[in-house]
Amino acid sequence: MTVLLIDGMQSAFASRTSRLLASLAVLLALAVVGVAIRRAGPWLESRFSADDSEAIQSITFSLVAALASAFLVIIWHAVDDVEDSFQTVRIGPEQGVLALVGVLTLIVAYTITRVSKGLLETRGGDVLTAHRSEIIHHLIQLAVYAFAAVFIMSLAGVNPTDLLVGAGVIGLVVGLAARQTLGAVLAGFVLIFARPFEVGDWIVVEDREGVVTDVSLFNTRLRTYDDEHVLIPNDEVTATQVVNRSKSGRLRVSVDVGVDYEADVTRAAEVAERAMRDCEADPLLSHPEPVVVGKQFGDSAVVLECRFWISDPSAPRKWETQTAVIDAIKGAFAEDGIKIPFPQRELLGREEAGGLRLAGNGVEVATGDTSNGDRTAENGAEGESAGDRDTPADTDGESAPETEDP
């Protein structure tokens, strides 16, 4: 029956042109089937798990590809060549058993990795995050498949020791050539298991600040608040100071405000504290309570530091609360008559230098001599009047013509 079917197909495509057209049609049909299987992915995922739907797609396409290959082998009269290839391999009962054991080994390895992944997803939590579970799953995959490969090579008569010796030499060469990359990988393991930060945390690494978007074995990705994506090698992250502003779930923010030296500083601090407590910014926490402390004597004001806490820290929430607090304090000071002074300077002349010299009229003013200062002002005014008188003008606003002495 099989021979008749093969003969019939070969007779139907006897000419070279028909075989070429049939081959093009088969390849086109294979491409269409591939696209259809891919588009069926969402439908399969709605009824099965993602892994099962992927397995169904792979098996279906493999079967279709096998049928297409068999059809092409038959119409191009390549059946004898395929049979010769199988005879060259010389598969006997013993080799068949070993091949079956090898296939079963791969099936068992695959099952172990799937079960371990399910257990990791089930046991996930605060300690075993999704990212850690993924890394552990890949490590288990690597170990299980490596053992399965060594076992299958032993079944095939290959001595794994010889391969390990060669792999050791290759590993030494690769380690020397890529020591920086290997350092980044080791640093990646440190970051994954030491947990200085998680994906979504707001961190500062040296002068780079942003939200962690990914932590891989090689690098850490940050998204800054200018919407820039920064890629930092893990060995640089572990070698420098890292500030995590999201770790505790709250963050203290400070705002400085200056009050006039003649103002009641204690009263000003109370007004500022009340303004912060009454502020309606959503991220602002009522506990710990906002507090105001004296910070320093400034050039023109007594500087007060207004401290408050925000929840779920992020840069936008910090900016929102900081702006609201500044508006609230400024409004409260205005209502209470508390002055926020502008910068002021007192200019004094040293006595040993003979006082100040005002540019323009050449009159010296002694330090602290108010009468001199008054006279200087008067002289300046008189000088200005004299200057006005020295420039005659006619009634039409034009300069008077110059006259020559006889």
Side-chain angles (χ1 to χ4, degrees), residues 350-393:
R350 293 181 299 175
E351 294 182 1
E352 60 269 23
L356 300 177
R357 180 180 295 276
L358 299 181
N361 53 17
V363 179
E364 294 184 357
V365 182
T367 303
D369 191 348
T370 56
S371 61
N372 247 356
D374 295 340
R375 285 196 299 273
T376 301
E378 293 173 0
N379 290 339
E382 292 175 358
E384 292 175 0
S385 300
D388 294 341
R389 288 194 297 272
D390 287 342
T391 308

Side-chain angles (χ1 to χ4, degrees), residues 68-314:
S69 301
F71 177 78
L72 294 176
V73 167
I74 292 172
I75 66 173
W76 284 99
H77 302 277
V79 178
D80 295 335
D81 295 334
V82 174
E83 289 180 354
D84 293 339
S85 300
F86 278 111
Q87 289 178 2
T88 303
V89 177
R90 293 179 183 178
I91 299 177
E94 184 178 353
Q95 288 78 14
V97 172
L98 294 177
L100 179 60
V101 172
V103 173
L104 292 176
T105 301
L106 292 176
I107 293 174
V108 171
Y110 177 78
T111 304
I112 291 174
T113 57
R114 304 311 302 172
V115 171
S116 64
K117 183 177 181 180
L119 291 175
L120 290 173
E121 291 176 351
T122 304
R123 299 295 178 87
D126 183 60
V127 176
L128 197 62
T129 61
H131 187 70
R132 284 188 182 181
S133 300
E134 190 70 19
I135 295 297
I136 294 174
H137 168 64
H138 289 314
L139 291 177
I140 292 175
Q141 272 187 323
L142 181 62
V144 171
Y145 284 125
F147 177 80
V150 171
F151 181 73
I152 292 173
M153 284 189 294
S154 299
L155 292 177
V158 179
N159 189 1
T161 307
D162 298 336
L163 296 177
L164 292 177
V165 172
V169 176
I170 295 174
L172 179 61
V173 173
V174 172
L176 293 175
R179 56 185 180 276
Q180 186 173 0
T181 303
L182 293 177
V185 171
L186 293 177
F189 280 108
V190 172
L191 293 177
I192 289 170
F193 291 101
R195 298 179 66 202
F197 49 79
E198 302 286 350
V199 174
D201 283 355
W202 174 20
I203 68 170
V204 181
V205 182
E206 289 186 334
D207 58 341
R208 291 161 291 196
E209 178 180 354
V211 177
V212 180
T213 58
D214 185 35
V215 182
S216 66
L217 289 178
F218 297 97
N219 48 60
T220 298
R221 295 177 184 268
L222 296 183
R223 180 176 55 81
T224 68
Y225 290 101
D226 293 330
D227 210 18
E228 299 173 337
H229 292 268
V230 182
L231 194 66
I232 309 175
N234 286 333
D235 54 344
E236 292 186 15
V237 177
T238 55
T240 188
Q241 182 181 15
V242 179
V243 178
N244 190 338
R245 294 180 172 172
S246 303
K247 190 72 172 179
S248 62
R250 66 182 187 184
L251 179 69
R252 197 191 76 180
V253 183
S254 298
V255 172
D256 293 343
V257 60
V259 297
D260 194 85
Y261 274 100
E262 297 181 357
D264 186 346
V265 177
T266 303
R267 174 62 180 165
E270 293 175 353
V271 171
E273 287 183 357
R274 185 178 68 250
M276 287 191 291
R277 287 194 298 268
D278 295 341
C279 184
E280 297 181 354
D282 182 62
L284 183 63
L285 292 175
S286 57
H287 296 284
E289 293 185 353
V291 65
V292 178
V293 297
K295 186 174 183 179
Q296 64 178 357
F297 291 105
D299 293 337
S300 306
V302 178
V303 180
L304 303 179
E305 183 179 1
C306 305
R307 301 173 177 175
F308 54 92
W309 296 79
I310 63 173
S311 61
D312 299 328
S314 68

